[in-house]
Amino acid sequence: MDAQLLRSTFAVVERRAEHAVTFFYSHLFWHNPGIRELFPEDLRPQRDRLFAALTHVVNRLEDPGLPGYLARLGRDHRKFLAAPVFYTAVGTSLVAAFAHAAGAAWSVEAEKAWTEAYGRIADLMMRGAEEAAGRGEPAWWDADVVAHTRRGEDLAVLTLRPRQPFPYRPGQYTGVSSLRVPRVWRTYSLANAPRVDGTVDLHISQVPRGLMSTALVARTRAGETLRLSAPGGALTARTEPGAPRTYVAAGTGWAPVKALLEEVAAREGGAEARLFVAARAKEYLYGREDVERLKERIPGLHVTYIASAPGRPRDQATERLVHALHTCGNWPRHDVYLAGPPGFLHEVTPVVEALGADPARIFHDRLPAVDRLHPRPATRAERLIEPPALLWHDPEARDPRGR
């Protein structure tokens, strides 16, 4: 693949991303009307994910891990019932959209490069889908809701029992679909290590205007059936037994961290570990009873809870967390596991690096671009003029692809 030509043309298209993606879907559905029924009614989240995936691929054209990423993406796309004809239609519309958006920057050479590149991408994705099918992996797992527990006005814990064995590792996530919101999939972390009875927990935070999170928190009941996609993600244990580690969880980022700690408790109860559980306000600090049970099973676990003080700006929690992290030492010895919404991770990751943590030993799921993230206001006056976006309870913003 001509990486330089692909990147230069993509840079032009990227400046008109919204226009390009709108043209793409219009072209795709006009020429392939039967494909429209595979997509949700609201295409806005889908448009964002499409361009995020394209950006990921273009930025890593020479990365030896790219074929594996595309194979996993193809495996995941089985839940959309994506047949080979679907990939062909998408490729045709994608090249047409790029040509339209690039304008004078488009050329015969660019069209040839993108056609060949997309062909390679589609082949790797379809190969990943075929390999998953060959292993007997279903396109999705039907899972019965056996319990629905509210943890406040906008938070619920769902316990599900998949009807087929659902293999996953602690720290991973899964896509979730409900008949209440047809053809929509949202990503949520699995909140427990594998159990003998096969059940799994999901921690769902209701997001303003979030169709899926609202359906799961406010309307789903025990006895209903949800669909789960193939598990994925990079927040899995790498630490050698007995080695020290630090866990930092914000909001529903507690879910994958809880699963990781359950794994530690089962395998190496004497581990040296420190846990920071943060939330933007005290009422969002949930799951303390689970933390106390884990402390009993992991005597070397030291826990710090972080939240904004009553009546203070909610982003004060981040400032308190950063201060607490600075009081800790031995960062070069620790593996660090971070879990939370993208805005939180974008802020905390450079902090732990500056404290001395080895960047190669800081683990989290890959972050999508956070274009709406602005510098933190330095004074109370700046907060009043332009309050910072609150991204701590936005599990649906989590990147669904993994590291």
Side-chain angles (χ1 to χ4, degrees):
M1 294 187 287
D2 189 337
Q4 183 175 354
L5 181 56
L6 293 172
R7 287 198 178 100
S8 63
T9 51
F10 187 74
V12 177
V13 173
E14 194 171 22
R15 291 195 290 270
R16 306 184 68 195
E18 184 68 26
H19 180 72
V21 175
T22 300
F23 184 95
F24 164 76
Y25 281 109
S26 298
H27 187 281
L28 179 65
F29 298 150
W30 178 264
H31 292 280
N32 307 275
I35 285 180
R36 180 63 181 91
E37 64 185 20
L38 299 179
F39 290 81
E41 182 177 342
D42 183 2
L43 285 172
R44 286 172 297 180
Q46 185 67 30
R47 295 204 308 254
D48 294 341
R49 291 185 180 91
L50 171 65
F51 223 84
L54 289 170
T55 302
H56 180 100
V57 170
V58 170
N59 289 340
R60 294 164 178 80
L61 290 171
E62 295 92 355
D63 187 341
L66 183 60
Y69 163 79
L70 292 170
R72 291 190 297 274
L73 196 61
R75 172 199 182 203
D76 187 64
H77 271 59
R78 294 179 65 221
K79 69 189 181 191
F80 300 120
L81 303 178
V85 66
F86 172 86
Y87 285 95
T88 301
V90 166
T92 300
S93 295
L94 187 66
V95 171
F98 277 23
H100 183 77
W106 196 252
S107 64
V108 173
E109 292 76 16
E111 182 156 340
K112 180 175 183 294
W114 272 104
T115 300
E116 292 177 350
Y118 178 80
R120 176 63 173 158
I121 290 169
D123 286 345
L124 289 168
M125 289 181 65
M126 287 189 287
R127 186 181 306 170
E130 291 169 359
E131 290 174 352
R135 295 192 297 268
E137 185 176 289
W140 61 74
W141 282 257
D142 288 322
D144 299 315
V145 180
V146 297
H148 182 287
T149 306
R150 296 295 288 264
R151 296 289 186 91
E153 293 184 2
D154 61 355
L155 183 68
V157 175
L158 272 65
T159 301
L160 313 177
R161 179 176 287 112
R163 296 177 183 175
Q164 296 176 257
F166 183 66
Y168 68 95
R169 295 180 61 191
Q172 288 191 305
Y173 53 69
T174 182
V176 179
S177 181
S178 168
L179 291 177
R180 292 180 179 274
V181 193
R183 302 183 299 280
V184 173
W185 290 84
R186 293 292 182 266
T187 302
Y188 297 99
S189 293
L190 297 154
N192 58 280
R195 297 168 176 157
V196 174
D197 66 0
T199 59
V200 297
D201 288 344
L202 303 176
H203 295 179
I204 313 295
S205 177
Q206 187 171 342
V207 179
R209 299 181 300 279
L211 296 177
M212 179 63 74
S213 65
T214 299
L216 295 177
V217 172
R219 299 200 296 272
T220 298
R221 297 291 181 266
E224 293 188 30
T225 300
L226 303 178
R227 289 176 174 177
L228 305 179
S229 70
L235 192 65
T236 51
R238 272 85 152 187
T239 306
E240 295 294 327
R245 73 289 310 264
T246 296
Y247 302 91
V248 183
T252 49
W254 165 237
V257 168
K258 174 177 173 288
L260 289 168
L261 287 170
E262 287 184 357
E263 182 180 41
V264 171
R267 295 184 179 181
E268 43 172 327
E272 176 190 344
R274 53 199 186 198
L275 166 66
F276 297 86
V277 182
R280 62 187 186 181
K282 185 178 180 180
E283 58 266 28
Y284 290 103
L285 284 172
Y286 71 100
R288 291 198 182 205
E289 64 278 9
D290 295 319
V291 174
E292 294 305 314
R293 283 193 289 267
L294 286 165
K295 285 175 64 177
E296 292 178 1
R297 299 173 63 191
I298 311 173
L301 178 64
H302 301 276
V303 182
T304 303
Y305 294 100
I306 305 287
S308 298
R312 298 299 302 275
R314 291 186 172 187
D315 65 323
Q316 185 198 47
T318 302
E319 299 167 6
R320 286 185 159 190
L321 173 63
V322 170
H323 176 76
L325 294 176
H326 274 84
T327 65
C328 298
N330 295 323
W331 286 99
R333 294 180 56 235
H334 278 239
D335 285 349
V336 181
Y337 297 85
L338 305 176
F344 165 79
L345 294 179
H346 274 281
E347 291 190 76
V348 174
T349 301
V351 171
V352 295
E353 289 181 1
L355 289 172
D358 182 352
R361 296 168 62 191
I362 300 174
F363 306 116
H364 52 69
D365 282 322
R366 184 174 296 281
L367 303 177
V370 184
D371 296 332
R372 65 184 184 279
L373 187 66
H374 301 291
R376 178 169 297 281
T379 66
R380 188 173 184 84
E382 289 183 13
R383 289 190 183 96
L384 291 172
I385 294 171
E386 187 176 4
L390 294 174
L391 303 175
W392 280 40
H393 260 50
D394 188 6
E396 295 186 6
R398 191 173 299 122
D399 178 40
R401 286 170 293 279
R403 197 164 188 165

